[in-house]
Amino acid sequence: MAAVRISSRSGLPSLLLYLGIGIAMGQDGIFDVKFDNAELTQVIGYAALVVILAEGGLGTKWKEVKPALPAAAVLSTVGVGISVGVTASAAHYLVGLDWRQALIIGAVVSSTDAAAVFSVLRKVPLPSRITGVLEAESGFNDAPVVILVVAFSAVGPVEHWYVLVGEIALELAIGAAIGLAVGWLGAFGIRHVALPASGLYPIAVMAIAVTAYAAGAMAHGSGFLAVYLAAMVLGNSKLPHWPATRGFADGLGWLAQIGMFVLLGLLVTPHDLVDDFWPAVVVGLVLTAVARPLSVFISLAPFRLPGREKALMSWAGLRGAVPIILATIPMVSGIEGSTRVFNIVFVLVIVYTLLQGPTLPWLAKALKISDDPSETADLGIESAPLERLRGHLLSVEVPGRSKMHGVEVAELRLPAGAAVTLVVRDGKSFVPAPSTVLRRGDELLVVATDPVRDATEARLRAVGEGGKLAGWLGTGGAGRQDNGPAGPHLAKLARKLGRGGDDRPGDRTGGTHAHH
């Protein structure tokens, strides 16, 4: 637990701390535990990666990642190809590895690590257009990289490049189709079947994500892409008991990271790393300073992103446990020199993760790239099905930057069949009056009948984003008014009212206090 707290506060991916624990327990360490089973490490690493990708997909917001999908898709395919070529050339000509070993290293380190990216980027206040690209890329690029590493590690001659491209395209297409289908079917089932206990919902969601991986792998598609897309569909489907599910997935992701990283630390032999330290530094320098920037600037050229954002994305290509796990594939296949490949990748990941992770916030500040502090925070809404009453109980949290602050209950204009039944404020609960003014930090309990459940949630989110004039300004949601030509002219007024709402007193009529 101490390691978790340190890693979460330091800005470093948890990789370094848990690898250190594994190294300390293993050979040349305090306990001198002998462990050299690369095959077991690979199996456990794959299982952990499935959980990590599922957790990352569940936390990915569709509205942020949707505009970034084309850029992320190109970066995780074309960008990977550029990175593999440049890094492999450096490993061959500068370090002296043969072409098979060089191609394996180039492919292994061209994958950005989902766990590292998710853990670091979600603590750095970057615009959603950047985090969307980087998170989607980390979820997508594992698939083509795994295919390349397996192909380069196969016994016999390496297949022609156009055959590999065809295989990658086919496996990605199959994995994407299965992931989207399993995610949609799973979300439909969870939303329409009331489970006997609320604790079963998180387990069901994770089971559906793992099913997507299994189905994708059995269909000879990309299981990693399938699990990420299925989890992303589930995470954006307004499932019952969502905060509990999100917390369960987050805890399971931490557990997977801890186990995977400690095991990788056990597998390495520290005294063997000395001879491969400088080769790893050289390859990593080419990867970080040449291959990654080239892949970003060339891949994203059609998308007309500012140069400083591309520069930040170049530095934010974080590596983690995934490259180390993939480096066990040639070891299991018995490829000559695979132990040296593993050692080089291990050192490279540690050195450049230690360099890139902590400096990323500084670089974002130096490039003057930061999230807009005035951006409206999304509402946290948890839904619990009331099966016998054919209704839903919505728990709505009003975050600090929500424009629902200063709005009266009557001004929510919820559809018929929905009502705010309780407000919890400062640890006290009361039944609100129509004139009760909502404040930041409030938690609302809203009861909605089954037919208007979706419309109620849409309306609540609309008010949270646009304030009391959400319907007039064209913000979606039930109860919206006709936009008409007045909509654009009311935008300035709405912003003025939104700012004024921050300074207005919490209660205008005394209705709030009357029901304490």
Side-chain angles (χ1 to χ4, degrees), residues 193-424:
V193 176
L195 298 178
S198 61
L200 294 177
Y201 285 89
I203 298 175
V205 169
M206 293 302 296
I208 291 169
V210 173
T211 300
Y213 172 81
M218 290 179 64
H220 301 286
S222 172
F224 292 123
L225 182 59
V227 67
Y228 181 74
L229 290 179
M232 188 164 61
V233 172
L234 290 167
N236 290 272
S237 297
K238 304 173 185 175
L239 300 179
H241 302 289
W242 177 243
T245 299
R246 189 71 189 91
F248 176 80
D250 189 48
L252 205 58
W254 272 106
L255 186 62
Q257 290 183 54
I258 292 171
M260 176 175 61
F261 296 156
V262 170
L263 196 61
L264 289 172
L266 283 172
L267 184 64
V268 73
T269 305
H271 69 260
D272 291 341
L273 302 177
V274 177
D275 293 337
D276 296 316
F277 179 82
W278 289 113
V281 171
V282 171
V283 173
L285 182 61
V286 173
L287 170 67
T288 306
V290 181
R292 174 66 181 181
L294 275 179
S295 65
V296 170
F297 277 83
I298 293 176
S299 300
L300 301 183
F303 298 96
R304 299 179 180 178
L305 294 174
R308 56 196 180 94
E309 293 188 3
K310 293 180 183 178
L312 184 65
M313 291 183 190
S314 300
W315 191 249
L318 303 176
R319 271 74 194 174
V322 172
I324 303 176
I325 293 171
L326 297 181
T328 63
I329 295 177
M331 296 178 69
V332 174
S333 301
I335 298 299
E336 183 180 356
S338 58
T339 301
R340 189 183 184 199
V341 169
F342 179 86
N343 290 339
I344 290 176
V345 171
F346 192 94
V347 173
L348 184 155
V349 167
I350 290 180
V351 170
Y352 287 93
T353 300
L354 185 62
L355 176 64
Q356 290 175 275
T359 57
L360 187 60
W362 174 85
L363 181 61
K365 184 177 181 180
L367 294 173
K368 298 181 179 179
I369 300 175
S370 61
D371 194 11
D372 182 5
S374 65
E375 183 177 343
T376 303
D378 192 18
L379 292 178
I381 301 180
E382 178 176 3
S383 172
L386 305 174
E387 184 69 13
R388 295 179 61 184
L389 302 179
R390 299 189 60 80
H392 294 266
L393 180 63
L394 306 181
S395 175
V396 183
E397 297 178 1
V398 182
R401 294 180 296 184
S402 174
K403 292 186 179 180
M404 191 176 287
H405 175 82
V407 175
E408 295 182 5
V409 170
E411 292 171 333
L412 293 175
R413 303 203 310 276
L414 298 179
V420 179
T421 59
L422 199 68
V423 174
V424 179

Side-chain angles (χ1 to χ4, degrees), residues 46 134 137 147 149 158 168 191 223 277 295 303 340 380 385 411 475 483 495 497:
Y46 273 27
L134 293 173
E137 179 205 7
I147 297 170
V149 175
V158 178
I168 291 173
R191 284 168 58 88
F277 179 82
S295 65
F303 298 96
R340 189 183 184 199
E411 292 171 333
T475 308
N483 297 333
R495 287 192 294 269
L497 288 174

Side-chain angles (χ1 to χ4, degrees), residues 11-33:
L12 286 172
S14 53
L15 161 76
L16 298 179
L17 289 171
Y18 302 133
L19 278 179
I21 292 173
I23 293 173
M25 293 173 58
Q27 300 181 53
D28 298 343
I30 299 174
F31 300 101
D32 196 26
V33 176

Side-chain angles (χ1 to χ4, degrees), residues 447-467:
V447 174
T449 58
D450 193 62
V452 300
R453 186 263 187 188
D454 291 339
T456 302
E457 184 168 340
R459 177 61 193 165
L460 290 169
R461 293 188 184 277
V463 176
E465 294 175 2

Side-chain angles (χ1 to χ4, degrees), residues 84-100:
V84 170
V86 175
T87 308
S89 298
H92 177 70
Y93 291 109
L94 299 180
V95 178
L97 299 179
D98 64 42
W99 273 113
R100 182 187 290 271

